[in-house]
Amino acid sequence: MYGLDDGGLLDYATRDLSTIRDAISMHCKQSATNKARFKSVIATSDPIKALEEFIETEQSVDFSSEWKEDHYSVKLSRKIERSDRTVSGSFALFRHGESDVWTALTGHGPDFFKRGIKWILRKGQPELSNFYVSSEDLESVLKDTEKRLSSRIFVNKAVVYSHKEEGNISWETRPYRFVFDQSKSSDRYVDKLTFEVRRNRELLFDSFVSRSGVVKFTGGDVNLFFNNLLRAYANTATEKVELFSEKARSRQTGEIKELEIQFNSNPLQDPDNNRDLIDALANLSKSSLTIYHNNPYAHISVLDLVDGSNCDVFVTSSDTISIIPGFRGSMNSLIRISDQIAREFQEGKVVEKYEQKFDSSDFVHADL
């Protein structure tokens, strides 16, 4: 079940997440090449309903789901377009507490994971939102895990990108902090890491983490993995929900909830930099741009064709980009746009801009 080589444990035992953890542990012990793969998404309502709505229009897909003790058990078979090939498998889909973060897990290989699970979760947009974490977020997840476990984390493989060039792959084993420090100094971002968590000479677990919602477990103590790394990663997604949800402009009052991307450097010092930003946004899939100004400041309107969301992107200083959602500004769209800027222009910190409010006491001296 779920592609886990567990000796039939899930076929006979109570099928809940606790048993699934045991099955993952058995699966990874069977072979050094076995992995458990996880893909997390954001869903503010039942994700299965969103997937079932998509399936109704797809004749090449067989899909079924059943609620178990604490997760959905999902079976999926998909015929690849322009091919006679079919990918089939199953996965568990579970929610992290009462949050809006859901994770699909499977022991099946990369083909079903990519062309089955990741494909169908992407088709659930905009009700299901992919989320992306920054290099800073990834570093915080590892820092939190290392601290909670009184351990040290060593990276065995790192994929680091510049914003305009191909990625650089390093196989050198080194502390994770070194990888992030080096990427910052060379104006690059960390995309994915393979690493091991150790306490003294004891291996706690091996894992993989990426900025695109994908995590893998390859060996060690599966409970430490779930309770620390996967939990910290899901908490990062919860922070994205709080930041990007309910930002559409109010149709009743016209209230605007502006987001800002703040940079530590000054990547927007001259009009050529505006052009770089426009080029990055132009590469956003399923979108359309309208450029109102690009010199001396930039004003770009982005229409997201996934769900019809729109926003305006402004550059008015050398270290800040403003994103102003329109009347339809979905969380899914804002996440896509901010990630596109991070990957192909520059990584920055996304924050909500709060308007400063004043009353008469701010303008009258207390002694008067």
Side-chain angles (χ1 to χ4, degrees):
M1 181 59 67
Y2 308 144
L4 297 170
D5 184 6
D6 58 7
L9 175 64
L10 291 177
D11 294 328
Y12 302 103
T14 301
R15 200 180 303 170
D16 58 15
L17 288 175
S18 177
T19 308
I20 290 174
R21 291 190 188 195
D22 293 338
I24 290 172
S25 183
M26 294 177 63
H27 172 73
C28 292
K29 289 177 181 178
Q30 292 291 332
S31 170
T33 61
N34 283 356
K35 299 178 177 66
R37 293 175 167 85
F38 302 76
K39 169 61 180 174
S40 296
V41 294
I42 296 169
T44 55
S45 58
D46 189 335
I48 291 297
K49 291 182 179 179
L51 297 179
E52 287 174 342
E53 289 179 5
F54 164 71
I55 294 303
E56 290 178 358
T57 64
E58 285 290 318
Q59 297 181 348
S60 61
V61 177
D62 289 326
F63 177 92
S64 64
S65 66
E66 181 182 0
W67 179 254
K68 297 297 182 180
E69 296 282 329
D70 47 14
H71 69 282
Y72 282 108
S73 177
V74 182
K75 294 181 180 179
L76 172 65
S77 179
R78 173 199 173 201
K79 183 177 180 180
I80 307 296
E81 291 183 7
R82 302 177 183 176
S83 170
D84 292 330
R85 195 165 68 86
T86 299
V87 293
S88 300
S90 60
F91 61 94
L93 181 63
F94 65 93
R95 186 180 184 183
H96 292 267
E98 297 300 316
S99 74
D100 293 325
V101 183
W102 291 73
T103 295
L105 77 85
T106 190
H108 288 292
D111 191 36
F112 176 70
F113 186 70
K114 178 180 179 180
R115 295 175 177 83
I117 293 176
K118 292 176 69 176
W119 175 82
I120 197 167
L121 293 178
R122 188 169 60 250
K123 293 297 183 180
Q125 293 183 86
E127 286 76 16
L128 273 61
S129 298
N130 280 310
F131 73 92
Y132 305 90
V133 298
S134 65
S135 293
E136 181 180 353
D137 294 328
L138 280 180
E139 186 175 13
S140 294
V141 167
L142 297 184
K143 182 178 180 181
D144 179 77
T145 300
E146 190 177 64
K147 182 179 179 180
R148 287 171 61 91
L149 292 174
S150 300
S151 61
R152 295 193 67 190
I153 293 178
F154 295 92
V155 172
N156 300 317
K157 179 182 178 182
V159 179
V160 180
Y161 286 91
S162 76
H163 300 282
K164 295 182 179 180
E165 300 173 1
E166 292 297 320
N168 177 56
I169 301 176
S170 171
W171 297 89
E172 181 183 356
T173 299
R174 48 196 168 159
Y176 79 92
R177 287 185 176 88
F178 182 85
V179 176
F180 288 95
D181 289 344
Q182 190 175 56
S183 68
K184 292 173 188 175
S185 64
S186 59
D187 192 26
R188 293 171 177 263
Y189 67 89
V190 177
D191 187 63
K192 52 182 74 79
L193 299 167
T194 301
F195 61 93
E196 56 187 38
V197 183
R198 290 187 172 274
R199 184 186 296 132
N200 298 323
R201 295 185 178 181
E202 178 189 5
L203 175 66
L204 301 185
F205 62 85
D206 289 312
S207 188
F208 165 97
V209 66
S210 77
R211 69 192 311 276
S212 61
V214 174
V215 180
K216 301 174 189 176
F217 174 81
T218 55
D221 191 321
V222 70
N223 290 313
L224 292 181
F225 166 82
F226 265 86
N227 297 337
N228 294 276
L229 182 78
L230 192 60
R231 177 179 293 174
Y233 197 74
N235 288 342
T236 301
T238 299
E239 293 171 2
K240 303 298 179 186
V241 175
E242 296 172 357
L243 178 61
F244 290 107
S245 64
E246 300 181 357
K247 291 297 182 290
R249 185 173 182 176
S250 172
R251 293 186 181 275
Q252 287 72 38
T253 66
E255 179 187 4
I256 294 173
K257 297 180 180 178
E258 181 178 347
L259 297 175
E260 282 189 346
I261 305 177
Q262 300 171 351
F263 303 101
N264 291 326
S265 59
N266 295 283
L268 294 154
Q269 296 185 80
D270 58 60
D272 287 341
N273 302 137
N274 293 343
R275 187 70 251 177
D276 292 338
L277 173 63
I278 292 169
D279 289 343
L281 287 171
N283 289 331
L284 179 65
S285 63
K286 297 182 179 180
S287 71
S288 175
L289 298 188
T290 301
I291 303 168
Y292 294 109
H293 296 282
N294 66 357
N295 188 356
Y297 71 95
H299 176 194
I300 310 117
S301 178
V302 183
L303 174 63
D304 192 329
L305 302 179
V306 172
D307 63 1
S309 289
N310 67 292
C311 72
D312 288 291
V313 178
F314 288 92
V315 175
T316 55
S317 68
S318 62
D319 63 354
T320 306
I321 292 174
S322 295
I323 300 176
I324 301 179
F327 291 110
R328 183 163 187 171
S330 71
M331 175 173 60
N332 184 68
S333 179
L334 293 172
I335 289 175
R336 277 171 25 89
I337 291 168
S338 63
D339 176 65
Q340 182 68 17
I341 292 173
R343 284 190 298 107
E344 296 201 17
F345 179 70
Q346 185 87 13
E347 273 200 328
K349 186 176 183 63
V350 185
V351 299
E352 183 172 359
K353 182 178 180 181
Y354 293 96
E355 294 293 336
Q356 191 170 3
K357 296 182 179 181
F358 302 94
D359 59 30
S360 59
S361 64
D362 294 304
F363 302 96
V364 179
H365 194 280
D367 293 335
L368 294 180

